[in-house]
Amino acid sequence: MLPFKTTSLPASVPPEVMEQTYNAIKTPVKYGAVMKLDNDWTDSPTVFRKDGMFYMYFISISKDTGMSGYETHMARSSDLKNWEYVGAIFRRNDLNRWDSKQCAGYAAYPSIDFEGACELEQVAGAYHISYLAGNSDGYEPDPLYMGLARSEDPTNPNAFTRFPEPILRPEDPDSRPFENKTLYKSFLFFDEAHTTGYPYVNIYNAKGEDNRERIFLAVSEDGEYFERYGDRAVLDLIETQPGTLITGDPQIVKMGDLYVMLFFRFNAGSGAFDTFACSYDLVHWTVWDGEPLVAPTLEWENVHAHKPWFIRHEGVNYHFYCAVNTKGERFIALAHS
């Protein structure tokens, strides 16, 4: 475990900057479903652009979750609203590996610049997918590990090669309190400013023995092998705001010297919703306490509206998320500015 770097950066973000950030990233227009499958639930979209087209990695799980597990798929679009299914990236298998029964993938190393090109960056000569991994059937069964795969072509679903071992495990010797049971979604990014002292940062949510989820950091010199950063979670609303059960699925967007973390919250007695926090040093986060970015306000998303993926294209904000309703549907939806 590496210690937090000492910096002179401010530990909090002023209210007026938080307000400005909300106005810059808000997406009040609900477009509706963009990726639905007949027999499976769809979840956790990650979207990027390459050669003039947009691509979405997303995960699926059979509605009969007891005999199922996460798999990863690809779709493409020319307009971010109408999506064509391309194929499966990761399928479950019978090899009895640590990642045979759960393989939920997310695009790694996207541009984090708010006005950026929405494109993926090559690291160590390749494109990457990080993925949630496990070897048990069911809906997110413990333990879950963090895997990484690489490819020369991120738009070819058959071109990814999985690393032989996890890049992080919950039982690692340097595992911190509250991440020693399961590791969930990871967001890997290149930090040009080296704010942590390292060029590559991995921000992810994890669970400990209390079954609550917090957000942690790991860092890397080469983008493929990671060490945990700091001795605690960097976002822990469980301790500061009673009733919070999950803070999860972080994504980083950068505006000047400000890091913006989109994430979802799930509180006892309410549906999950997407919100954000801001930081100058990636360790101290000021959480937005105003209107959510996306919340379950409509009939077709009346249980949860959560798990954000944000991109900005030609001056328009697009916020992809997972919608869940009381009819038993779970699918990928879109809100925009």
Side-chain angles (χ1 to χ4, degrees):
M1 180 194 305
L2 299 163
F4 287 133
K5 179 184 175 184
T6 301
T7 75
S8 59
L9 296 169
S12 63
V13 179
E16 61 271 19
V17 176
M18 298 297 293
E19 185 77 32
Q20 290 166 6
T21 303
Y22 172 74
N23 288 328
I25 65 174
K26 64 184 179 181
T27 51
V29 181
K30 296 282 183 72
Y31 177 78
V34 294
M35 180 53 63
K36 242 181 184 180
L37 299 178
D38 291 336
N39 299 317
D40 296 336
W41 288 328
T42 57
D43 210 333
S44 294
T46 58
V47 177
F48 64 93
R49 192 179 189 212
K50 191 172 192 319
D51 299 329
M53 290 290 289
F54 292 96
Y55 294 85
M56 177 193 295
Y57 300 157
F58 67 95
I59 67 177
S60 73
I61 187 170
S62 169
K63 296 174 184 178
D64 180 11
T65 57
M67 295 299 294
S68 182
Y70 283 138
E71 297 184 325
T72 306
H73 305 266
M74 181 189 296
R76 66 183 166 214
S77 172
S78 60
D79 62 3
L80 291 164
K81 294 181 177 180
N82 299 287
W83 291 87
E84 172 193 7
Y85 182 79
V86 176
I89 300 174
F90 298 146
R91 289 284 196 189
R92 285 155 38 92
N93 59 58
D94 295 321
L95 299 178
N96 199 30
R97 285 167 42 111
W98 54 274
D99 60 352
S100 287
K101 300 302 183 184
Q102 307 285 338
C103 40
Y106 322 106
Y109 303 116
S111 168
I112 63 171
D113 291 339
F114 177 65
E115 297 284 4
C118 314
E119 296 180 351
L120 300 182
E121 300 180 16
Q122 284 188 299
V123 173
Y127 297 95
H128 292 75
I129 286 179
S130 62
Y131 64 102
L132 169 159
N135 194 30
S136 299
D137 294 320
Y139 183 79
E140 300 182 358
D142 304 322
L144 295 171
Y145 306 98
M146 190 181 299
L148 193 63
R150 66 194 329 265
S151 171
E152 294 183 359
D153 181 2
T155 69
N156 180 352
N158 301 311
F160 281 92
T161 301
R162 306 188 202 187
F163 282 29
E165 298 293 335
I167 58 170
L168 291 175
R169 302 172 184 263
E171 70 270 21
D172 287 334
D174 65 345
S175 183
R176 293 155 291 198
F178 306 119
E179 65 162 341
N180 58 358
K181 197 169 184 179
T182 273
L183 308 180
Y184 289 104
K185 183 178 178 180
S186 50
F187 179 82
L188 279 56
F189 66 98
F190 171 66
D191 179 27
E192 186 176 14
H194 291 207
T195 297
T196 63
Y198 293 82
Y200 300 104
V201 181
N202 178 349
I203 186 165
Y204 61 95
N205 54 306
K207 179 176 71 178
E209 295 302 326
D210 65 350
N211 291 318
R212 310 292 175 90
E213 295 176 36
R214 299 160 173 85
I215 292 175
F216 296 84
L217 292 181
V219 293
S220 174
E221 289 283 7
D222 64 6
E224 294 192 335
Y225 299 94
F226 284 85
E227 293 185 76
R228 285 172 168 85
Y229 181 68
D231 60 357
R232 59 175 174 82
V234 294
L235 190 65
D236 186 352
L237 301 186
I238 287 93
E239 299 299 315
T240 60
Q241 300 187 27
T244 302
L245 303 177
I246 297 174
T247 52
D249 288 37
Q251 179 195 1
I252 299 294
V253 175
K254 198 172 187 191
M255 299 177 171
D257 60 352
L258 185 70
Y259 297 93
V260 181
M261 181 207 306
L262 290 84
F263 67 99
F264 84 85
R265 288 183 63 175
F266 179 42
N267 301 332
S270 66
F273 61 92
D274 287 347
T275 185
F276 71 98
C278 294
S279 174
Y280 294 108
D281 65 2
L282 289 170
V283 174
H284 301 91
W285 292 90
T286 301
V287 178
W288 172 245
D289 61 2
E291 287 293 315
L293 294 174
V294 167
T297 57
L298 302 177
E299 184 178 358
W300 50 265
E301 50 164 21
N302 57 6
V303 176
H304 303 304
H306 64 331
K307 303 185 178 181
W309 189 269
F310 175 95
I311 69 169
R312 182 170 170 84
H313 177 62
E314 296 184 345
V316 178
N317 299 334
Y318 296 85
H319 184 138
F320 296 87
Y321 62 99
C322 176
V324 182
N325 60 42
T326 52
K327 295 191 294 184
E329 295 180 311
R330 176 182 289 260
F331 55 87
I332 295 167
L334 170 66
H336 58 80
S337 60

